Amino acid sequence: MKPSPNLLSPDNHALILIDFEGQMAFATKSISINELRTNVAIVSGASKIFNIPTIVTTVAEESFAGPVFPEIEEFYPQATSGYIDRTSMNTWEDEAAYNAITGTGKQKLVMAGLWTGVCIVGPALSALTEGYEVFVITDACGDVSDEAHERAIQRMVHAGVKPITSVQYLLELQRDWARTETYVAVTDLMKKYGAGYGLGIQYAHKMLNH
């Protein structure tokens, strides 16, 4: 009856959201921007619901890449969330970001961001080298082409990174629908951002009232 320690839980990991900014999104071609924004909202909302230590990092925000997605701002407003702006493409090589990530004390790290082949590969492989267990939310990442994204994911998986998806992340944290303390927040998040799945939840809730 004991769950695998390989599963993610609300208390065993930190989330790093990397460079979800306009300039990076404009050139992203491996996933539609609509789908990417939806998946980022699911991931951000999940981390907020379950109180996951979350680091939001940007690159050259004011001089080049611009502000973060509004879907991140919704759950982690810049005024109160302490975004970390960098010049390095590899988040792991930025001292402030490195200290924030390692300072969480979590050995499991979940990452998502733009672009997969640069801003995710760098910290993912670097964290692996230092002994961390790394998960990448593949459908909340994107790159300038399908080829770039897929080769980056393939490279990371070969190195030991564990790929997951945005809805998988949310449901792995919820795990049991009897966890009533988060049930309403999780289903409300999916009603808003869960596409067909969200409509199904809305339908079921409505019909069960009859």
Side-chain angles (χ1 to χ4, degrees):
M1 292 292 290
K2 292 185 66 176
S4 169
N6 293 319
L7 292 170
L8 293 168
S9 67
D11 60 359
N12 72 358
H13 73 283
L15 174 68
I16 304 100
L17 300 175
I18 301 173
D19 304 349
F20 284 111
E21 301 169 272
Q23 190 68 264
M24 311 305 293
F26 298 153
T28 295
K29 304 300 181 187
S30 62
I31 184 173
S32 75
I33 299 303
N34 286 342
E35 186 178 359
L36 177 64
R37 291 180 64 180
T38 295
N39 294 340
V40 170
I42 291 170
V43 171
S44 300
S47 69
K48 193 68 172 181
I49 291 167
F50 291 97
N51 297 310
I52 308 303
T54 299
I55 294 105
V56 180
T57 182
T58 58
V59 62
E61 178 187 358
E62 294 188 359
S63 61
F64 177 73
V68 301
F69 289 11
E71 290 76 16
I72 292 177
E73 276 269 10
E74 176 182 353
F75 299 102
Y76 294 99
Q78 184 168 16
T80 57
S81 300
Y83 299 172
I84 299 171
D85 194 50
R86 321 177 319 279
T87 58
S88 64
M89 285 181 276
N90 181 1
T91 297
W92 206 256
E93 295 180 52
D94 180 87
E95 184 175 5
Y98 177 84
N99 289 339
I101 296 166
T102 58
T104 65
K106 307 297 184 181
Q107 282 302 116
K108 295 183 193 297
L109 301 178
V110 179
M111 300 182 184
L114 302 175
W115 295 319
T116 322
V118 181
C119 299
I120 300 301
V121 164
L125 297 186
S126 300
L128 281 176
T129 298
E130 292 196 23
Y132 289 88
E133 187 176 359
V134 181
F135 299 73
V136 169
I137 306 177
T138 57
D139 66 349
C141 294
D143 214 318
V144 297
S145 67
D146 290 344
E147 179 78 6
H149 175 77
E150 293 300 331
R151 294 297 76 73
I153 296 298
Q154 188 177 39
R155 179 183 179 187
M156 290 187 287
V157 169
H158 280 316
V161 168
K162 298 172 173 63
I164 59 174
T165 64
S166 54
V167 174
Q168 181 184 359
Y169 177 64
L170 172 68
L171 298 184
E172 197 160 314
L173 297 183
Q174 175 67 25
R175 199 84 60 79
D176 187 341
W177 292 120
R179 292 178 178 171
T180 55
E181 65 274 14
T182 52
Y183 175 85
V184 172
V186 166
T187 54
D188 282 350
L189 180 70
M190 293 311 293
K191 285 178 188 177
K192 184 175 181 180
Y193 292 111
Y197 178 38
L199 287 177
I201 294 171
Q202 180 193 32
Y203 178 87
H205 286 177
K206 179 72 172 177
M207 298 307 290
L208 287 172
N209 287 330
H210 288 287

